[in-house]
Amino acid sequence: MDVKGYSRIPRELCYWITFLTEALPLRSVGTFIELLIGAMLSPAGFVTEAYLVVTMRNHWTSYYKWLQEGRWSWLALSRQFVRLIMKVVKQDVIHLVIDDTLTLRASKKAPGSQIHHQHGNKPNLARYVRGQCWVSLA
């Protein structure tokens, strides 16, 4: 990525973003960068907040369709992220934290909404609940 003229963006951040985009098809790069920068600037990092923080090129549905039906691999992007961490962090041992969070949903139409085992054993919830499973990597 050519950082000339963008002196306020740290060179290292430009390198990291460029490195991550190598895992994506060329036509997805712009959309990914818009959503990534928007998520970094928004308070919680959600897609809807990212859309509102940055002046986006396209309509909201374009980003939704890219996330849901786009021809890019989240696995390839995750692998590239791990490669970046291994390249940047110069330590013998790197600890990876993977967490799955269940977000309860009432609608069957919510993207990725399925029946999940409620392993939190909360007494006010049924053993199996409808929700979306979010996996986080840190």
Side-chain angles (χ1 to χ4, degrees):
M1 176 181 265
D2 181 19
V3 295
K4 189 175 182 182
Y6 297 95
S7 60
R8 293 184 176 186
I9 300 173
R11 181 176 297 276
E12 197 68 18
L13 179 61
C14 289
Y15 170 73
W16 294 347
I17 292 172
T18 303
F19 189 83
L20 290 175
T21 59
E22 291 173 2
L24 298 170
L26 189 57
R27 66 183 292 190
S28 293
V29 170
T31 303
F32 171 74
I33 291 174
E34 286 178 336
L35 288 174
L36 180 65
I37 298 295
M40 288 191 299
L41 294 175
S42 69
F46 294 114
V47 174
T48 50
E49 289 179 350
Y51 183 80
L52 296 173
V53 168
V54 177
T55 304
M56 300 288 195
R57 297 174 298 148
N58 301 318
H59 190 270
W60 161 251
T61 54
S62 300
Y63 300 96
Y64 172 78
K65 286 181 181 177
W66 181 77
L67 288 169
Q68 286 297 115
E69 304 162 9
R71 295 201 171 138
W72 60 281
S73 169
W74 67 270
L75 288 172
L77 188 59
S78 298
R79 282 187 209 103
Q80 191 73 350
F81 177 70
V82 171
R83 283 186 202 104
L84 176 66
I85 296 301
M86 290 170 44
K87 194 172 188 178
V88 171
V89 178
K90 304 291 185 193
Q91 293 186 2
D92 294 335
V93 177
I94 298 174
H95 298 278
L96 225 66
V97 179
I98 301 174
D99 180 46
D100 64 327
T101 303
L102 187 62
T103 305
L104 300 179
R105 296 289 181 240
S107 173
K108 292 180 180 179
K109 293 182 180 179
S113 177
Q114 297 176 353
I115 301 296
H116 297 275
H117 179 259
Q118 190 268 117
H119 57 271
N121 296 326
K122 296 182 181 177
N124 61 335
L125 291 177
R127 188 176 217 165
Y128 293 92
V129 293
R130 176 168 293 284
Q132 294 170 311
C133 186
W134 297 86
V135 178
S136 304
L137 173 68

